[in-house]
Amino acid sequence: MKPADPSFPPVRRLGLGDLPHCLDLAQDRSWPREERKWRLLLENGEGFGIDAPDGGGLAGTVVLTRYGRTAAAVGMMLVASRYSGRGLGRRLMNHVLAEAGDATLFLCATEYGRLLYEKLGFETAGVVEARVGRFDTGDDPYGGPGTGRTASRLAEPARDLAALCALDVEVFGADRSRLLTRLFAFAEQVRVVERGGGITGYGAAWRSGDRLFVGPVVAEDDETARALVTDLTRDADVRIRIDIHHRHQELISWFAGRGLAQASTTAFMVHGGRVLPGDRSRLVASFMSALG
Ligand SMILES: CC(C)(COP(=O)(O)OP(=O)(O)OC[C@H]1O[C@@H](n2cnc3c(N)ncnc32)[C@H](O)[C@@H]1OP(=O)(O)O)[C@@H](O)C(=O)NCCC(=O)NCCS
């Protein structure tokens, strides 16, 4: 391990005023310039960064999103290519580890990040696959029997938010209610499936750049997940992306048959060998990779 490079200033908290520099940094690493996404992350979570000593904006970023006191997601870990390999990634992650306290930290790691995270005590607990393409809703929309049973409807915050958050905390194992409250304004649509008078699944679709992202998706079974994704993408005139957890192999095959190709995979990693609470068998798709 190299000592921290003294030519860089300390890690500082980022605000919305840093948005243009975050976008420049993303572009430097060939990530899209996703302003809406960064704005949500910086408003809802805590962004940290290191200023570039050459006055050229930010040298590195990371965003911590807390879910109550139990768990927290780490995302948007970026170091400008001209400063790579100088210990900034390690310094940013150490900062976040200290900030997070007792919360269980998790993240989705690219191949670039995985080696660094392993060195800092993260362990792989799963795989998340990004599927991208034009979604073919088909003639048999939900791809199976019982379509009437699983039809979804638009969710309304006043009517559904409390029940949606109650289901989510059961599945996710940590309190995402702050984020889910924002989801209604952020997403184009939030939909729910009901059975026996209760919500058994929900999903959202939101735009970033020229893509429609589908997530989060929580569903009690594959049929519910298929209904949600089909209804959320029915009139989409653009390519969609869904980040689906690898344990849902049958759904992944179904998505492949509907035109969504594998775009990338990331390792789902948890810090310190801990096990995340909740019933993750019902967690079908991430909100986005930075949020889990
Ligand atoms: C991942 C990333 C943030 C790392 O930042 P960095 O500042 O270059 O990383 P550091 O210099 O702090 O390296 C940290 C450690 O990881 C190790 N490491 C990083 N990449 C490595 C590689 N390809 N092979 C072996 N070790 C590697 C370094 O050797 C270093 O170990 P050490 O501190 O024990 O010497 C940077 O490469 C990046 O922005 N990549 C593109 C965006 C991305 O994929 N982000 C990750 C999202 S999950």
Side-chain angles (χ1 to χ4, degrees):
M1 187 181 96
K2 297 179 287 288
D5 189 330
S7 43
F8 292 93
V11 175
R12 70 169 174 88
R13 180 78 190 263
L14 299 178
L16 284 180
D18 294 300
L19 249 175
H21 295 311
C22 293
L23 299 179
D24 290 346
L25 184 54
Q27 187 173 341
D28 172 73
R29 284 297 193 168
S30 304
W31 287 13
R33 296 177 71 91
E34 296 179 289
E35 183 173 346
R36 287 192 77 227
K37 182 164 146 181
W38 277 96
R39 185 176 288 277
L40 175 82
L41 291 168
L42 292 178
E43 278 178 354
N44 182 71
E46 294 153 56
F48 300 98
I50 298 175
D51 289 312
D54 60 8
L58 287 166
T61 56
V62 67
V63 177
L64 173 70
T65 302
R66 295 177 204 267
Y67 298 117
R69 290 178 182 202
T70 329
V74 184
M76 306 318 252
M77 168 67 96
L78 280 161
V79 169
S81 42
R82 66 188 184 284
Y83 296 127
S84 74
R86 292 173 66 176
L88 299 191
R90 178 184 276 273
R91 202 200 285 189
L92 285 162
M93 186 55 90
N94 276 331
H95 188 87
V96 159
L97 283 167
E99 286 283 328
D102 281 341
T104 302
L105 279 185
F106 59 90
L107 53 79
C108 289
T110 62
E111 265 316 292
Y112 296 107
R114 195 172 52 81
L115 292 156
L116 164 63
Y117 305 144
E118 277 173 358
K119 287 187 176 185
L120 294 175
F122 283 85
E123 290 175 19
T124 299
V127 174
V128 178
E129 192 171 311
R131 290 250 155 200
V132 175
R134 292 246 175 203
F135 187 75
D136 174 11
T137 50
D139 297 331
D140 175 16
Y142 308 140
T147 56
R149 198 163 62 94
T150 48
S152 72
R153 66 161 172 83
L154 270 179
E156 299 158 32
R159 177 177 171 192
D160 300 310
L161 184 60
L164 194 151
C165 289
L167 168 67
D168 192 74
V169 77
E170 226 180 276
V171 172
F172 196 75
D175 182 7
R176 289 202 284 184
S177 54
R178 205 171 112 96
L179 189 62
L180 296 179
T181 305
R182 286 178 188 269
L183 180 65
F184 279 87
F186 183 70
E188 281 195 349
Q189 282 188 63
V190 181
R191 303 190 73 91
V192 293
V193 168
E194 285 170 308
R195 195 168 295 165
I199 292 178
T200 56
Y202 79 89
W206 50 276
R207 268 184 204 259
S208 186
D210 59 358
R211 283 191 194 169
L212 185 69
F213 281 70
V214 178
V217 177
V218 164
E220 69 167 2
D221 53 27
D222 285 3
E223 192 180 327
T224 303
R226 288 195 297 261
L228 285 164
V229 174
T230 305
D231 291 345
L232 285 164
T233 56
R234 187 174 303 286
D235 299 318
D237 52 353
V238 292
R239 298 199 320 150
I240 75 151
R241 169 170 166 164
I242 183 164
D243 288 6
I244 180 164
H245 293 261
H246 234 204
R247 56 183 165 265
H248 297 284
Q249 278 304 319
E250 285 185 16
L251 272 177
I252 288 176
S253 306
W254 184 76
F255 285 133
R258 298 284 165 134
L260 302 188
Q262 189 195 88
S264 61
T265 58
T266 47
F268 181 75
M269 304 183 86
V270 183
H271 190 250
R274 296 204 207 168
V275 176
L276 286 169
D279 172 15
R280 293 192 164 241
S281 66
R282 285 183 280 164
L283 187 65
V284 175
S286 305
F287 190 146
M288 63 177 76
S289 132
L291 293 170

